[in-house]
Each structure stands twice: as C-alpha cells, then as structure tokens.
Amino acid sequence: MEANLAQRMQISTTWIDPYKFPRKPTSSLRFSGRFKEQKRLQVFVSAQFRPVRDENRHRQASFEVSCSCNNSQVSTLESESLQDLFGEEALILKNKSQEIEPYLNGRCIYLVGMMGSGKTTVGKILSRSIRYSFCDCDKLVEEDVGVPSVAEIFEIYGEDFFRDKETEALEKLSIEHRFVVSTGGGAVIRDENWIYMGKGISVWLDVPLEELAQRIAAVGTKSRPLLDNEPGDAYTTAFRRLSTLFEKRHKAYENAKARVSLENIAAKLGYKDVSSITPAMIAIEALEQIGNVL
C-alpha cells in the first residue's frame, strides 16, 4: 500500500542562488563554505515523498532528500513535515530537548486533548526532538481489530468496543519506554487509562474550541465518528458537538501532568489569535511544560 501511495521525484537539475533563499523556505539545503563562495550552484536533488494533509490542515510529507553538487555530497535531509523544524524553531527545539532528555529517564510522553488538537502532528515533532519513537494509539487499535479506521470500528462494533481496545493498547504501552504517544480524544474518560498513562508524563494540548471547529470543518467530519452525520453547516456542527464533548471531558483533561495552552502561547508571542501558531511552536511549549514537572 505504501508503495502505491508513494510519489517519486525524478532526479532533476536546477540553478540555485544560495543568497536568494526566502526567509522561511518550504525546504532547505545546507552548503559548505566553499560552495557558498560560488554565486551559482548546480545541485542534483533526488527525493521520495508521500504528500498528505493532516487533521490541522498542515501539508506534510514523509520524505528523504539527497543532494549533490559537482559530484560532491551536499546533504541528506529526512523529515516528517514540510512546514516545521526550520530556523530558530529548530534551534530552540534542539536546546530544549537537550535540557530535559536526561531527566525523562525513558518515560513515555502521552499527548491528550480534543480531536483536532494536533496530537499526532506535535507528537511526531516531539519524538524526533527527544529521539523517541512515535505511536498513534488509534492506529494500534485499528491494526489490532483489522479495520482501517476508527470511524468504521465505531460503525461496526460501537464506541464501547473501541474504548475497550483503546484501554488494552494503553496498558501495553505502559510497560514500554521512549515513546511519544498520541491518544484518542476520549481516552481521558476512563480512570484506568490514567493509571497506565500515569507511568509516563501526560501533556494536555489545550486548543480553543473555535480553532478546533475551524480545523475540523476545513477537512470534514468523515473520520470523526462522534461528529459525523450532525445537521447544519460544518463549522456550526463541529463547534456545537465539540462544546458538548468538552463539557464532559475538560475535568479529565485537567488530570494531565502538563498543560500546553495555545492561548498562552499566542499571548507570549503577541499574536492576536492561535491560528498562526505552528506545530513546532506547540512542541517547544510542550518541552517547556514537561521540564517544569520533571
């Protein structure tokens, strides 16, 4: 399946002026000093990638890029996201990770939060930063049941069945080390799940409901079994249902050892709202908050 989905870029040639890169490029190449002295460089690039859009409307691709110049290797770049880990954000992530990693002692990190809060996107950035493996709890359940999506599991077996499998997955993960785990939005409603997550460090990604509704409305609700088939326009439907779910769950989210508030991040950065906050910024704040509880 992965082979069918993958897209390959053929090796091509282009001229690049290293002094005319935009401030925040969509990708980057690093050149040694001797290459920078040349005004124009002929660079050969080969890449394999699979482009997708995640639940938060960010364009992503799992890819590896190899570059050569004048028959010399320039760089090899591996990444999960096209939009993250560049410039100052990458440096801050690296420094924060180095600060807290010795104190984690291999404990797993569990990301909790409402659907659409970016747990998977942020989790992948965190895992790379601290050299952990990444695990999506929903994917574990799908693989265990043999059904390709949570929405289908809900439709075929019901929510209670899914919650039981979710608890089984968290129990298995509780004996593991060095994982960043993205949990389902409703994982917090069972007390026993907190027992398993309590063996690691739980982090609540707290995103305003308005932002969540905008994200979900933009990509649709087909993959959201608790939102699908609701009447009304996409945003109003999502906001209404999210409000009901949050009312039931917010006390449970507060059990997390650390909280990452996007409103607080926006205030610190002087942003008018949270829509401009990148996943890398959220990961940086998560590392800050994790450091506070270690």
Side-chain angles (χ1 to χ4, degrees):
M1 180 181 295
E2 184 172 345
N4 293 334
L5 292 174
Q7 297 184 7
R8 290 182 179 271
M9 290 178 60
Q10 300 298 320
I11 294 178
S12 60
T13 303
T14 187
W15 288 104
I16 297 176
D17 184 341
Y19 297 101
K20 292 184 179 179
F21 281 121
R23 180 175 177 81
K24 288 190 176 180
T26 55
S27 61
S28 66
L29 300 175
R30 297 191 179 199
F31 299 95
S32 69
R34 66 186 180 90
F35 288 135
K36 285 185 176 181
E37 292 175 357
Q38 302 180 38
K39 291 184 178 180
R40 292 171 68 82
L41 306 173
Q42 190 175 30
V43 179
F44 291 85
V45 179
S46 64
Q48 179 178 344
F49 69 103
R50 182 176 61 211
V52 296
R53 285 193 181 275
D54 69 7
E55 61 187 13
N56 303 318
R57 296 173 288 166
H58 296 116
R59 186 174 177 81
Q60 292 190 319
S62 177
F63 71 102
E64 178 175 325
V65 179
S66 296
C67 308
S68 63
C69 177
N70 296 334
N71 297 319
S72 298
Q73 189 74 13
V74 176
S75 66
T76 299
L77 170 68
E78 292 186 61
S79 180
E80 290 286 341
S81 301
L82 293 176
Q83 87 286 349
D84 65 5
L85 301 184
F86 292 111
E88 294 180 3
E89 290 177 349
L91 181 59
I92 297 172
L93 272 169
K94 180 180 179 180
N95 291 337
K96 293 281 185 187
S97 300
Q98 290 175 344
E99 288 175 10
I100 74 164
E101 188 177 3
Y103 303 99
L104 285 171
N105 295 321
R107 283 174 289 179
C108 291
I109 295 174
Y110 297 88
L111 300 182
V112 303
M114 293 284 286
M115 63 182 79
S117 59
K119 299 183 293 291
T120 297
T121 305
V122 174
K124 289 180 178 180
I125 296 173
L126 277 176
S127 66
R128 292 199 305 277
S129 299
I130 58 176
R131 297 179 295 178
Y132 271 30
S133 298
F134 173 77
C135 176
D136 186 326
C137 195
D138 284 352
K139 296 298 183 186
L140 284 184
V141 174
E142 292 166 2
E143 292 170 4
D144 182 37
V145 178
V147 175
S149 72
V150 172
E152 290 183 63
I153 295 175
F154 269 62
E155 183 178 353
I156 297 170
Y157 299 105
E159 182 177 358
D160 288 343
F161 175 87
F162 172 79
R163 297 300 174 198
D164 289 341
K165 290 296 183 181
E166 183 176 57
T167 297
E168 291 177 14
L170 289 171
E171 181 181 12
K172 293 175 183 177
L173 286 166
S174 68
I175 62 174
E176 300 292 339
H177 294 85
R178 301 186 68 83
F179 272 93
V180 174
V181 181
S182 169
T183 68
V188 297
I189 61 179
R190 287 193 174 184
D191 290 341
E192 58 193 308
N193 291 347
W194 283 107
I195 295 174
Y196 299 133
M197 291 190 290
K199 297 181 180 181
I201 299 170
S202 51
V203 181
W204 173 23
L205 301 188
D206 185 9
V207 182
L209 294 179
E210 295 83 0
E211 174 67 13
L212 292 176
Q214 289 176 2
R215 294 178 181 181
I216 291 171
V219 298
T221 60
K222 292 297 183 183
S223 64
R224 311 287 183 180
L226 296 180
L227 296 183
D228 202 22
N229 299 320
E230 291 277 338
D233 69 273
Y235 174 83
T236 302
T237 297
F239 183 80
R240 180 174 61 245
R241 184 63 175 137
L242 287 168
S243 298
T244 301
L245 289 172
F246 186 73
E247 185 65 27
K248 295 177 180 178
R249 297 175 179 175
H250 78 276
K251 290 294 184 184
Y253 289 132
E254 291 175 356
N255 289 327
K257 294 178 181 177
R259 171 175 172 253
V260 174
S261 166
L262 265 66
E263 290 183 332
N264 288 348
I265 297 174
K268 287 196 295 187
L269 297 175
Y271 291 173
K272 292 181 179 179
D273 56 49
V274 303
S275 62
S276 298
I277 297 173
T278 67
M281 293 176 186
I282 299 170
I284 290 168
E285 180 68 13
L287 291 173
E288 180 89 21
Q289 297 305 320
I290 290 170
N292 290 339
V293 301
L294 290 177

